[in-house]
Amino acid sequence: MDKEIFINVGATEERIALLEDGQLVELYVERPDRVRTVGNVYKGEVKTVLPGMQAAFVDIGMEMSAFLHVSDVSARMEELTAALDVEYEEETEGNGEDSEKAQSVIHPPGARPSTKTRAYGQKLPIEQRLARGQDIMVQVTKESIGTKGPRLTTQISLPGRFLVLLTADSKIGISRRISDRNERRRLYKIIRNIKPKDLGVILRTEAGGREQKDIHNDLVRQTQRWEEIQKNYATLPTLSRLHAETGFATSIIRDVFGVDVSRMTIDSRKVYDDTRSYLKDVAPHLLNRLHLYRGKEPIFDRYDIEPEIKKTFDSKVWLKRGGNINIEHTEGMVAIDINTGRYVGSKDQAQTILRTNIEASKEIARQLRLRDIGGIVVIDFIDMEDPEHQKQVLGELRAGVKRSRAKFSISDFSEFGLIQLTRQRVRPSLYHTLSEMCPTCGGMGRIMSRETVTTKIERWFQRARVGSRDRKFRLEVNPTVAEHLRENDGQLVRAIENRCRLRVQVVENEQLAADQFEVFSLRRKRYVTDKFIS
């Protein structure tokens, strides 16, 4: 499978697209007003302890208090490594007798457990662990979504290129994707000999085949980060950020750009230079796969990515054979329905339904990744009476969803022909990132957000810069969009003007909807909006 990464850096947002065999499968979007917090470490203050919920709300300096469940106060390696798709290796080698001796050192039979064992092993209730007004070191594991604040953990983990440092455990984990037993044994011996005894390590897939010095350098970087975090906790005031996760592009590159990616193309000289500098330190063998895009046409237009992004707003997704799937978001879950649509198939109705459901399974798996849909998903496949057909469809769905790095769970078919799927949700889905609540319909539908409209306007002027000699324009927009463009003394407009080397005059037009705009050429004295709309 050929994998490619394309990075588009604009004045109002940064986007990273992952393609597999030329098909868009993942899209990451970062905007200045919605900077990611997952991975950040804070010195928080416990505001409320709720014994009935076995949870606490912690102030970390954001608008909403963050949520900390009792299960995330303990050192639960099972949950962490399940999300990272790893399995454990014991910290001892040898026969069963050696393992028993190692366990007896940790907790001798009949002995009184240590404070740490009592807290983590016996799961003390939240009210015996935390108190109101207490300072606490926490890490964000899930972004705030809607009215829900961020999700926290006290088990700090620091990801690097080849490993993840675990600060609340001492075990060693190795990625399941490293399947060769000899390689697993080699890596285990390397990390056992170099890691601090009081810290744990998960070796990532990228560690496979790497020399000890590469792994050791990464370990040193992460342990130095941990030492700095502890120092900051001791010296900085409450509500301080102790550690910020690496930049948007760098973190995605660290997690996604590996030997299985044939090419990464970036349209920003600065991001390209930063990425090149990063790769020189951690993955010099990937430098020849890094490219700077120099074309005049916007990069996502050049590689036909923009039309695919536009389709993510559609609730109906057409299949190649003529069937379709409908994706509907509700407050509590996402419902997906499959229809044969225009596909009539052969004379065998059962085979027609099977082929439609199999094709739908593959597309549903892609849409879950592309739209970054998380939480509960209920899928209503076309009814199948043959259990073998159900087994085939379920197998295709599992195989497709497994390609994503997100943790997931899929049920068998229910008696009503439904499948329930749960998928890890770390940040708002693309649906919520690129749209906002419609003020006209009161939430019954969605429209493009002001930020998305601004981004569309920027791309329009990028195309105009290449496709015409016009350099002075009047931009007519809805008053709400005009207000957004004029914020911070018109910083967004100036950024567009500087990037596209144009002059733009913003004018309010109450007749336009919030997601519409008109462009008037001051040179040609006429509207030219439709000329560069894709």
Side-chain angles (χ1 to χ4, degrees), residues 379 390-391 394 398 409-421:
I379 307 172
Q390 291 186 348
K391 186 176 180 180
L394 189 58
R398 289 184 187 277
S409 174
I410 301 178
S411 71
D412 292 329
F413 277 91
S414 72
E415 60 179 310
F416 302 107
L418 302 176
I419 284 180
Q420 178 176 302
L421 180 152

Side-chain angles (χ1 to χ4, degrees), residues 8 125 150 154 166 177 210 327 371 394 399 465 524:
N8 166 230
T154 62
L166 307 172
R177 296 186 181 183
R210 307 302 301 183
I327 305 173
R371 304 186 186 208
L394 189 58
R465 180 68 178 82
R524 288 187 278 173

Side-chain angles (χ1 to χ4, degrees), residues 84 86 158-164 173-178 187 201-208 210 218 251 254-256 278 405:
L84 294 173
V86 304
L158 302 174
R161 177 70 179 178
F162 306 120
L163 56 84
V164 178
I174 301 177
S175 170
R176 285 179 178 169
R177 296 186 181 183
I178 302 175
L187 291 172
V201 170
I202 295 174
L203 289 171
R204 308 181 74 170
T205 306
E206 281 297 311
R210 307 302 301 183
D218 202 14
S251 64
R254 178 195 65 204
D255 296 338
V256 179
Y278 170 75
R405 294 177 298 127

Side-chain angles (χ1 to χ4, degrees), residues 89-93 95-111 113 117 171:
E89 302 284 355
E90 290 296 329
E91 282 203 319
T92 58
E93 286 187 313
N95 56 30
E97 182 179 353
D98 291 334
S99 297
E100 290 177 1
K101 288 180 180 178
Q103 292 172 9
S104 69
V105 171
I106 296 172
H107 183 21
T117 305
K171 288 185 177 180

Side-chain angles (χ1 to χ4, degrees), residues 111-167:
R112 177 181 173 85
S114 66
T115 303
K116 182 175 180 180
T117 305
R118 292 200 307 273
Y120 294 143
Q122 295 186 7
K123 300 181 182 179
L124 291 178
I126 192 80
E127 62 270 25
Q128 293 186 35
R129 301 191 190 185
L130 301 177
R132 183 177 180 180
Q134 173 186 342
D135 285 347
I136 184 172
M137 185 191 297
V138 289
Q139 185 173 38
V140 178
T141 60
K142 185 184 295 185
E143 302 280 6
S144 60
I145 300 175
T147 58
K148 296 181 180 179
R151 181 80 180 244
L152 302 176
T153 181
T154 62
Q155 178 174 289
I156 312 301
S157 61
L158 302 174
R161 177 70 179 178
F162 306 120
L163 56 84
V164 178
L165 183 70
L166 307 172
T167 66

Side-chain angles (χ1 to χ4, degrees), residues 43-60:
K43 184 175 183 177
E45 179 185 354
V46 178
K47 303 302 291 185
T48 309
V49 178
L50 304 173
M53 294 177 59
Q54 280 300 291
F57 285 100
V58 181
D59 185 1
I60 57 174

Side-chain angles (χ1 to χ4, degrees), residues 71-85:
S71 61
D72 294 312
V73 177
S74 62
R76 297 185 62 186
M77 283 291 290
E78 296 85 2
E79 290 187 3
L80 176 64
T81 51
L84 294 173
D85 189 27

Side-chain angles (χ1 to χ4, degrees), residues 89-301:
E89 302 284 355
E90 290 296 329
E91 282 203 319
T92 58
E93 286 187 313
N95 56 30
E97 182 179 353
D98 291 334
S99 297
E100 290 177 1
K101 288 180 180 178
Q103 292 172 9
S104 69
V105 171
I106 296 172
H107 183 21
R112 177 181 173 85
S114 66
T115 303
K116 182 175 180 180
T117 305
R118 292 200 307 273
Y120 294 143
Q122 295 186 7
K123 300 181 182 179
L124 291 178
I126 192 80
E127 62 270 25
Q128 293 186 35
R129 301 191 190 185
L130 301 177
R132 183 177 180 180
Q134 173 186 342
D135 285 347
I136 184 172
M137 185 191 297
V138 289
Q139 185 173 38
V140 178
T141 60
K142 185 184 295 185
E143 302 280 6
S144 60
I145 300 175
T147 58
K148 296 181 180 179
R151 181 80 180 244
L152 302 176
T153 181
T154 62
Q155 178 174 289
I156 312 301
S157 61
L158 302 174
R161 177 70 179 178
F162 306 120
L163 56 84
V164 178
L165 183 70
L166 307 172
T167 66
D169 210 303
S170 60
K171 288 185 177 180
I172 297 174
I174 301 177
S175 170
R176 285 179 178 169
R177 296 186 181 183
I178 302 175
S179 56
D180 183 82
R181 293 192 64 83
N182 291 331
E183 177 62 9
R184 293 178 66 84
R185 191 175 295 112
R186 182 187 76 89
L187 291 172
Y188 171 78
K189 289 180 179 178
I190 288 175
I191 201 64
R192 182 194 62 182
N193 292 330
I194 64 176
K195 83 170 188 69
K197 291 185 178 181
D198 59 336
L199 297 175
V201 170
I202 295 174
L203 289 171
R204 308 181 74 170
T205 306
E206 281 297 311
R210 307 302 301 183
E211 297 180 6
Q212 177 170 328
K213 66 177 183 179
D214 297 324
I215 297 174
H216 180 262
N217 290 340
D218 202 14
L219 178 62
V220 170
R221 280 191 290 267
Q222 306 321 312
T223 53
Q224 287 175 344
R225 283 185 181 180
W226 176 230
E227 290 170 359
E228 186 68 21
I229 289 171
Q230 295 178 90
K231 178 181 176 182
N232 290 338
Y233 184 81
T235 58
L236 294 178
T238 306
L239 308 188
S240 294
R241 187 179 66 188
L242 309 177
H243 166 74
E245 175 62 298
T246 56
F248 172 63
T250 302
S251 64
I252 298 298
I253 292 166
R254 178 195 65 204
D255 296 338
V256 179
F257 188 31
V259 293
D260 59 338
V261 177
S262 62
R263 181 184 182 93
M264 179 163 66
T265 308
I266 305 173
D267 68 356
S268 163
R269 166 62 74 174
K270 182 181 184 305
V271 175
Y272 170 83
D273 290 341
D274 290 346
T275 302
R276 189 171 183 82
S277 177
Y278 170 75
L279 292 177
K280 281 182 179 179
D281 289 337
V282 301
H285 61 290
L286 296 177
L287 283 170
N288 63 339
R289 307 185 188 192
L290 179 66
H291 301 275
L292 176 64
Y293 179 72
R294 302 176 185 274
K296 294 183 178 180
E297 186 180 9
I299 186 172
F300 277 21
D301 286 359

